[in-house]
Amino acid sequence: MSIGQIAIGRNRGYRKRLSKLGLLGWLAVFVLFIFGVIAIFGSALAPHDPNKIDLAYSYVGPIPGHPLGFDELGRDLFSRLLVGARTSLIGPIVLVISTTLIGTSIAILAAWRRGWTDAGLSAGVDIAVAFPGLLLAILLSTVFGASLWVAIAALTLAYTPSLARLLRSSALRETGMDYVKALKVLGFSDSQIIFKHLLPNLAPFIIAQAIIMFGYATLDLGGLSFLGIGVQPPTADWGTMVAAGASGLLQGYPTQTLAAGSCLVLTALSFAVIGDRLARIWGVE
Amino acid sequence: MRRYLWRRIGLGALTIVATTMLVHLALYLAPGDPIGYLLNGQPATPERIAALRAQYNLDEPFFTRYVSWITGVFQGDLGTSAAFNADVSTLIASRFQTTMYLVLISFVFISVFGLTLGILAGLHKGGIDSFSMATATILSSIPAFVGSFILINVFALQLGWFPAIGGGDGSLSSAISHMTLPAIALAFSAGAFVARTTRASIRVESASEHVVTATVRGIPRNKVVSRHIVRNALLPVISLGGLLFVGLIVSTAFVEQAFAINGIGGLLVVAARQQDFALVQAITLILVISFVVVNLAVDVLYWILDPRIRSEVA
Amino acid sequence: MKKLVLATGSAALLLLTACGGAAAPESSASGEATSSGIELVTSTPAGVGPVDNVNWNLADGEPLSLDQNLSWSGSQNFIGNLMCESLLSTTPEGGLEPGLATDVSYTDATTLVVKLREGVTFWDGSALTADDVVYSIDKARTNEVSQFVGDLAAVASVEATDASTVTIKLSEPNSLIRGALSTGAGAVVSKASAEGNANFALPGDTSMVCTGPYMLKEWTAGSKIVVEANPTWWNKGDGKQLTKQITFSFITDPAAAVAGYESGELDGGFLIPASSIKALQASTVGTLGFGDGSAFGAWVPIVNTERSMSNPKLREALAKSLDYANIVATETAGAGTPAKAVGVPGSWGNEKAAYQAAWDALPDPVTDLDAAKKLVAESGVSNPELVIAAWSELPDSVNAALVLQQAANSVGFNATINKIGFDRAADLFSGAKKEDIDIFATTYLSFICDPLYIYSQIGLDAGSANWGGYSNAKVSELITSALATTDDAERAKITIEIQSLLVADYAWLPTTTYPSPFFMSNELSGAIPSGPTHLWYAWAVNLGTAK
């Protein structure tokens, strides 16, 4: 399991324009845009039924109309890759959203209440941050059986503490600033200050973290599927495709593993590049 | 120092008890009857079921079960694995050494990758920095389970430089030759992580007051770098190493499967898939103990290396 | 012969053997050319030179025990048969020949007398006695976790008449007991090493003592088992035990195993998963071959419920919806042939001509979707439900279920897949009523070279493989009479009648014969990849260098 995210700085100057993403950054955005389109429209774009079995085509290579050839059951690999995009990206999306929501809530709660709430939450986070996500996922799958949702729940538990810890110190700094005191004196309610001022100010940092996290999430969920404790076959998914094709890789049928593996690596790489660039542009490295 | 150490040890013991109890409770509350998994496909005569229920204390309340388990652990009895029909301690013992070799060799690669890239990027700006960080980013995007297949294909099958499978015969030299490829596959993402941390840490140190003072006082750059920047910058990296350690043991599951190495990580995954509770509990225990011990070692190392902490705890 | 064994990894659930093909000639090839032109073999040419160590992989995972009397898995048998010999042994052609016993014969319908070979010693130097034999057979038939409880159910008592004679009394006539004594049911262990030994033959334990050509040297639980040549083996001869030591590994991951064979770290292996076959066929360092065998793949319908598979018309419809040619191609890499019945040619030991004639007369399994649709329509059930069980842990099992699901749906079934865990194994492989499953796949085989063996298991109400609850009074009656018939020709006649009834009833839906794929380095020769030899006889005894 990859472990979380890195250090924080101040969040000033994040309004600088995104044109600073640079060529590589935009390329990454383009890649993710394409994957996003595929994830949304994949089933419509797929030229063939991704689950249609035709044993006569088992492990047959590319032929016209089937640019990537077929898998062990004679299913069209290209269609499976397209349809697999959705499973492979929905998992990370749910994971990132849930982690961000929970992590942000914990951080703001700790920073806002301070005192015992902060001490308690921080102590819990300090212990939890060291618990490897993969171990957690394995334990949860032992108890509840293997499924994508169990994997997402486990990784949410694993990612949240490190995000919460990072956000807490930013949130602490922010809540200690004069404008917050001023708003309080002016009689604004807590929720108004938090949602109208505090969160928008923390947003660049949260977004940059979420984007970086997305890359890890793709790889980690793919990894769990590879180990058989995430997405379950026959659902098309890039991680399970890497595993299913692994025996073919050394046998002259590398397409499945290489294609699905490349998609995973490209997704993760794109998110990493964008996350890095944004963090730099916004000064929240 | 002694009090500080005792406090850390006490905290460590507490962590072990709390974690194992939590794991135990989770398995206790798991849906479904574990007896099916304990039978593992063998004929289910009433006598056999009764014997298994007794052996695993299945009819006892949670606390009794936990206490009898922990008592067993102190007597060196970790229970019997249903999936392997064998003593858990026997199963783990032979694999533990393998995994430790793998993790330690991987740590060497992580340090070499991570520190080289991180220090280069941290001390230089512009091209070297961008190049090092780009390398780190790419490495961090190659998951071990994809990297393994590439490494096997190129370095074991095509070039024949390393064995393709297995963990060696237990000797250090065979461990090194067998585990170089899996260790590299494992080191990609963690190495990149260390590189980023090192870079950030070096940047912080470079800008710190004592470094600026040293530079102003005319101390040669290379001395400033080695004595003031790198030395201090490595402290947070060491504690990161402690954090990475347990994660790395579990992550060995990815490369163990690809390289057919019999280690703890792969065993844990098999145990989980077959709901082999005794085995899962035992491996978790070992991981938590490793975690506590490594972090204790990191604390001590910190204490030795960092005079500030030494004065704090004294 | 129940194979409940569930591999710990992704590898197959298979366990393969043969009794020699139809008209097996003297040569090693059985002469059954398959549709893809793959030649099935029963043995490989004996090795010629000595080898210090051979690394052999068994892809169905580490054995849970090495006790041949219990026989739980393929890997267990392949290692165990090098160490613990049986009273009789089966030749690659399917006949029985003396083993530790020089003679086993029926003195009347319910009495067998076993004459032990003189001068055989265990590894520890102690002599083989009638007591050891009595102990071993009793262990095989009374241990609740033994696979032979069913095969030896007719045995009422086993007694030592004198130091070298054992008398077996049957409670009812059973013509298959001699055959059973050539399997793990007749494997002899030293009573002194086993009795009261709680760890006997369990992982890590090396206290087991037998008489065979190889001795248990080391068992590192979780990684390897090492056996070494027994210098005092009674059956020593030129060209035997050329291999001084065999180190077994249990790599279940197909990709890792292929990497091992290709890089030379593995010298050979059994139970090669179908997905690795194409790669290994292309290998330049070794040869992938197929051993002939009694194994076959089949779908087992659950017939004792009110659900769809209780209807013979729907069973027939399902049988006609299967794509036999492609199942053969994907599951056996083209080495198998569509199976007309479960008593496949590899399970014939005697009266082969009669069985061959009967086999030829059976209808060929063909895909006929129109006929299948018509049968579904005639069944009176519209869109009949079909719940297919698949082992969630085994990708191959899920794949097979997907294939059946698509076939069934195409002829009008409403098929769904129920993924089950290994905790269901005990329930599935028993006669217990199963209300949430209509059909499941099995790869099964005959331990004994007599088709009556498999037919009695699936045809009798209490048959040990009658997992679908099949019941037919006529079939039961015929099986009982065949079991009481010791004359081979007479028994074959009745068995053929049983076969045609079971085929007509679609009691099981066989899909393909399952030749056993094996891989052996070009440096080596002599492994016996087939026949019960492969399971119950020291398959490596002639293993040595190829040149």
Side-chain angles (χ1 to χ4, degrees), chain C residues 374-443:
Chain C
K374 218 171 130 219
L375 283 162
V376 173
E378 285 168 8
S379 74
V381 192
S382 91
N383 206 14
E385 262 188 47
L386 182 75
V387 182
I388 306 163
W391 299 111
S392 55
E393 284 307 307
L394 302 174
D396 287 350
S397 161
V398 177
N399 284 349
L402 287 168
V403 172
L404 180 69
Q405 182 188 28
Q406 186 171 307
N409 283 339
S410 74
V411 297
F413 281 90
N414 170 23
T416 51
I417 294 177
N418 179 8
K419 285 201 222 164
I420 55 174
F422 292 160
D423 57 325
R424 286 293 300 274
D427 166 44
L428 210 59
F429 296 110
S430 74
K433 265 201 190 279
K434 293 165 265 281
E435 292 290 351
D436 60 339
I437 289 169
D438 290 319
I439 198 162
F440 64 95
T442 185
T443 304

Side-chain angles (χ1 to χ4, degrees), chain C residues 223-280:
Chain C
S223 104
K224 64 176 175 181
I225 292 177
V226 185
V227 298
E228 63 179 342
N230 171 10
T232 61
W233 188 38
W234 62 271
N235 199 11
K236 281 169 87 76
D238 283 345
K240 286 186 174 170
Q241 293 172 301
L242 287 169
T243 299
K244 298 297 157 228
Q245 176 174 298
I246 304 174
T247 305
F248 290 98
S249 58
F250 313 101
I251 299 169
T252 55
D253 186 75
V258 169
Y261 296 127
E262 285 293 316
S263 62
E265 280 146 90
L266 297 173
D267 298 308
F270 288 142
L271 302 161
I272 309 284
S275 61
S276 314
I277 286 175
K278 284 187 182 173
L280 293 175

Side-chain angles (χ1 to χ4, degrees), chain B:
Chain B
M1 175 63 194
R2 190 165 292 167
R3 234 187 86 207
Y4 171 77
L5 254 184
W6 277 117
R7 229 183 59 205
R8 303 296 298 180
I9 291 173
L11 214 66
L14 201 69
T15 312
I16 293 171
V17 172
T19 324
T20 52
M21 203 181 264
L22 218 68
V23 171
H24 219 83
L25 186 68
L27 296 180
Y28 179 75
L29 297 175
D33 189 349
I35 200 78
Y37 290 97
L38 294 176
L39 284 165
N40 203 36
Q42 295 163 18
T45 58
E47 296 78 28
R48 183 154 177 80
I49 290 177
L52 280 168
R53 293 202 86 90
Q55 185 185 348
Y56 290 89
N57 298 311
L58 289 182
D59 300 318
E60 305 287 336
F62 166 71
F63 199 69
T64 319
R65 267 163 74 175
Y66 180 74
V67 168
S68 78
W69 177 75
I70 204 97
T71 320
V73 168
F74 276 110
Q75 292 161 351
D77 172 19
L78 291 169
T80 309
S81 152
F84 291 87
N85 197 24
D87 237 22
V88 168
S89 38
T90 327
L91 279 173
I92 291 180
S94 67
R95 290 162 191 251
F96 192 66
Q97 186 193 1
T98 311
T99 300
M100 280 301 119
Y101 272 139
L102 180 55
V103 168
L104 291 176
I105 296 172
S106 193
F107 248 95
V108 172
F109 285 107
I110 290 170
S111 313
V112 173
F113 285 164
L115 294 182
T116 312
L117 289 177
I119 292 174
L120 276 177
L123 293 176
H124 302 86
K125 303 220 161 148
I128 297 182
D129 179 25
S130 308
F131 174 78
S132 307
M133 281 304 100
T135 312
T137 305
I138 292 173
L139 287 182
S140 72
S141 303
I142 302 177
F145 61 97
V146 175
S148 297
F149 293 115
I150 299 169
L151 292 173
I152 292 177
N153 221 355
V154 176
F155 294 100
L157 293 184
Q158 309 280 330
L159 298 172
W161 292 354
F162 296 98
I165 53 157
D169 59 14
S171 72
L172 184 62
S173 60
S174 91
I176 289 174
S177 81
H178 276 88
M179 304 219 194
T180 298
L181 294 183
I184 291 176
L186 208 52
F188 284 160
S189 121
F193 195 46
V194 168
R196 286 155 184 276
T197 312
T198 310
R199 173 177 175 272
S201 179
I202 292 234
R203 287 281 161 93
V204 170
E205 283 302 325
S206 302
S208 72
E209 211 172 302
H210 69 105
V211 171
V212 176
T213 315
T215 315
V216 170
R217 273 169 55 202
I219 297 176
R221 173 72 182 164
N222 55 358
K223 262 194 176 165
V224 175
V225 167
S226 61
R227 287 222 187 129
H228 295 269
I229 301 180
V230 173
R231 197 187 147 130
N232 287 326
L234 287 186
L235 284 170
V237 179
I238 290 173
S239 65
L240 176 66
L243 266 183
L244 282 176
F245 192 80
V246 177
L248 216 52
I249 298 183
V250 188
S251 301
T252 54
F254 294 112
V255 297
E256 282 172 8
Q257 187 171 334
F259 288 88
I261 295 171
N262 290 303
I264 295 286
L267 188 67
L268 179 59
V269 172
V270 172
R273 288 207 294 210
Q274 306 213 7
Q275 306 211 320
D276 189 336
F277 295 168
L279 203 46
V280 169
Q281 278 162 7
I283 297 177
T284 313
L285 174 73
I286 286 182
L287 292 176
V288 175
I289 292 177
S290 322
F291 171 74
V292 167
V293 169
V294 167
N295 280 287
L296 204 62
V298 167
D299 283 340
V300 172
L301 209 61
Y302 242 87
W303 186 77
I304 295 170
L305 290 178
D306 193 341
R308 284 168 294 186
I309 292 188
R310 221 174 322 181
S311 58
E312 243 171 63
V313 296

